[in-house]
Amino acid sequence: MPYVTVKMLEGRTDEQKRALVERVTAAVTETVDAPAEKVVVFIEEMPKNHYAVAGKRLSDQ
């Protein structure tokens, strides 16, 4: 049973997340020959104030 975790900043629509889950599932199914009903996708959204690049939080930019 493949588990896939996608970490991204918050702000995507439900439609975008739905499409992401469908495409990730299809890619895993095609790549590792796992049945779609066994593929688990987790989406972890982070607020911009919890993410920093080069010492600067994205919420401060």
Side-chain angles (χ1 to χ4, degrees), residues 4-6 8 12-29 36 39-44:
V4 178
T5 301
V6 177
M8 61 185 181
R12 276 38 175 238
T13 66
D14 282 340
E15 183 177 300
Q16 289 172 316
K17 288 183 250 183
R18 189 174 297 110
L20 175 65
V21 168
E22 289 172 1
R23 291 178 183 163
V24 167
T25 300
V28 171
T29 299
V39 177
V40 178
V41 179
F42 297 99
I43 297 176
E44 293 182 12

Side-chain angles (χ1 to χ4, degrees), residues 1-3 34 37-40:
M1 180 179 294
Y3 292 87
E37 54 275 354
K38 297 290 185 179
V39 177
V40 178

